[in-house]
Amino acid sequence: MKIAVLIPCYNEELTIKKVITDFKKVLPDAYIYVYDNNSKDNTAAIAKESGAIVVREPRQGKGNVVRSMFKDIDADYYIMVDGDDTYPAEFAKELLKPIINGEADMTIGDRLSNGTYESENKRAFHNFGNKLVKNLIGKLFKNDINDIMTGYRAFNRYFVKTIPVLSSGFEIETEMSIHALDKKFLLKEIPIDYRDRPEGSSSKLNTYKDGLKVIKTILFLFKDYKPLPFFSILALLIFLIGLLVGSPVIIEFVKTHRISKLPSAVLTMGLITSAIMFFVNGLILDTLVKQNNQNYELFLNNYKSTNPVENYTDK
């Protein structure tokens, strides 16, 4: 049984040694991989001295790092954790247990349930952003996952080798969560403690810029995964605007059988036609998505049949 600890890193020389040391104590037989994402400090050298397998990823962004990790590293079970020492290593076995027992394909380290994230994290907008993303994904994708954006997760090989990673930056956690929900992978949340970065260590996450990227990712994934609801909402909004613009025209025509507000009439027809087109596009794309889901299910079945050494009997 091979366990791989995946640590994406960018300028974490103050904390990377402790993270590696802590995980070695908790998982002494695990292989620890540090993917250095163009760090300008001594992160890579310290990681190598601490006994980690160090790989350089030249494409900037956490999503790019995770994509390379998932492609390059072969293991039975995986743990992904940030290199900033905010996630305690002692929860690693709790995250792995449901994966090894076949109860989950991905476990999620939930920072929010026990209140440590809110008390430890000194950036108020991060707390607000986590709640906003949680509520938005909960409504759009009908789930009750508490911590969508946590960077502390465990996976089995089945999940790692079948997820198409498309994000390039900090949106990767959101993408993994939505993909797992849409494709009906087994998920389980494990409450964990969270601790803030040590003094001198700075976050690479830009609250506003990266927050907007996450919101954009959610909306685009909603469009891609659920096109009929997405385009139906757009069609309804445009249709209502068309009715609002066209109401005076309709009232005038009913009373006089004439139309004097020609620009309003043309705009109304354009809006109503656009609404119909959006709805029809939603229907067409919904059919394509269903076909894609069928093909993906066949791909998963083929993956299992061509990887007989993996044990899926508990699923």
Side-chain angles (χ1 to χ4, degrees):
M1 183 176 68
K2 179 179 177 180
I3 298 173
V5 179
L6 314 181
I7 310 176
C9 272
Y10 175 65
N11 292 345
E12 300 290 3
E13 65 178 4
L14 293 178
T15 54
I16 188 60
K17 181 177 181 179
K18 182 176 185 301
V19 173
I20 294 170
T21 302
D22 288 350
F23 273 90
K24 278 187 172 183
K25 290 178 182 177
V26 175
L27 300 171
D29 296 324
Y31 293 79
I32 299 179
Y33 296 85
V34 172
Y35 271 53
D36 179 57
N37 197 201
N38 302 315
S39 293
K40 297 176 176 61
D41 59 10
N42 294 318
T43 296
I46 294 172
K48 191 171 184 179
E49 290 172 3
S50 302
I53 302 167
V54 179
V55 180
R56 180 176 177 269
E57 171 51 58
R59 293 169 296 182
Q60 198 65 41
K62 187 175 182 180
N64 291 323
V65 176
V66 173
R67 183 187 301 110
S68 293
M69 285 178 156
F70 283 6
K71 284 181 180 179
D72 297 346
I73 300 170
D74 286 319
D76 299 299
Y77 307 106
Y78 302 77
I79 286 186
M80 186 176 76
V81 66
D82 292 339
D84 55 10
D85 195 34
T86 55
Y87 299 108
E90 51 264 30
F91 288 93
K93 289 185 177 180
E94 293 183 42
L95 287 169
L96 280 170
K97 186 176 179 181
I99 302 290
I100 295 173
N101 291 340
E103 299 169 3
D105 298 305
M106 176 171 70
T107 52
I108 299 169
D110 175 13
R111 307 162 293 173
L112 307 180
S113 291
N114 60 14
T116 55
Y117 184 80
E118 192 166 349
S119 61
E120 286 284 324
N121 183 25
K122 305 302 187 296
R123 294 150 292 187
F125 278 104
H126 283 208
N127 295 316
F128 171 77
N130 274 286
K131 291 177 182 178
L132 176 63
V133 170
K134 169 194 168 184
N135 293 330
L136 186 57
I137 292 181
K139 294 291 184 184
L140 296 179
F141 293 90
K142 309 298 182 185
N143 71 91
D144 56 357
I145 293 179
N146 197 47
D147 193 354
I148 294 288
M149 299 177 66
T150 178
Y152 201 8
R153 297 167 186 253
F155 322 91
N156 57 18
R157 180 182 173 85
Y158 175 51
F159 182 85
V160 165
K161 295 303 181 181
T162 59
I163 178 174
V165 177
L166 304 178
S167 298
S168 60
F170 283 102
E171 321 92 90
I172 178 61
E173 285 90 359
T174 304
E175 180 187 346
M176 286 193 294
S177 298
I178 291 177
H179 174 79
L181 289 168
D182 183 73
K183 297 301 185 287
K184 298 178 175 58
F185 283 96
L186 297 174
L187 304 180
K188 188 169 184 178
E189 282 195 294
I190 306 295
I192 62 168
D193 291 339
Y194 176 88
R195 56 192 175 217
D196 205 6
R197 284 173 169 270
E199 187 176 351
S201 175
S202 59
S203 174
K204 315 307 180 298
L205 180 65
N206 185 298
T207 302
Y208 305 102
K209 182 180 177 181
D210 290 305
L212 288 175
K213 285 183 180 179
V214 169
I215 299 298
K216 179 182 175 182
T217 297
I218 294 171
L219 294 177
F220 272 86
L221 290 175
F222 181 49
K223 172 183 69 70
D224 293 340
Y225 286 118
K226 297 182 180 294
L228 184 56
F230 179 85
F231 284 102
S232 294
I233 292 170
L234 283 180
L236 179 60
L237 290 174
I238 295 172
F239 181 77
L240 292 175
I241 294 172
L243 284 182
L244 184 64
V245 173
S247 294
V249 178
I250 296 171
I251 293 171
E252 180 189 33
F253 181 78
V254 170
K255 289 181 178 179
T256 66
H257 297 287
R258 293 182 179 180
I259 297 176
S260 62
K261 300 178 176 65
L262 187 59
S264 296
V266 173
L267 178 58
T268 299
M269 288 301 299
L271 290 170
I272 298 299
T273 302
S274 297
I276 294 172
M277 291 178 63
F278 271 110
F279 181 70
V280 172
N281 284 340
L283 289 173
I284 295 171
L285 291 173
D286 185 65
T287 301
L288 293 176
V289 167
K290 287 180 179 178
Q291 291 177 349
N292 180 69
N293 287 339
Q294 291 172 350
N295 292 333
Y296 188 77
E297 284 298 318
L298 293 175
F299 162 70
L300 293 179
N301 291 337
N302 181 64
Y303 179 84
K304 286 186 177 181
S305 66
T306 55
N307 290 269
V309 296
E310 298 182 19
N311 181 14
Y312 299 102
T313 57
D314 293 327
K315 295 186 180 182

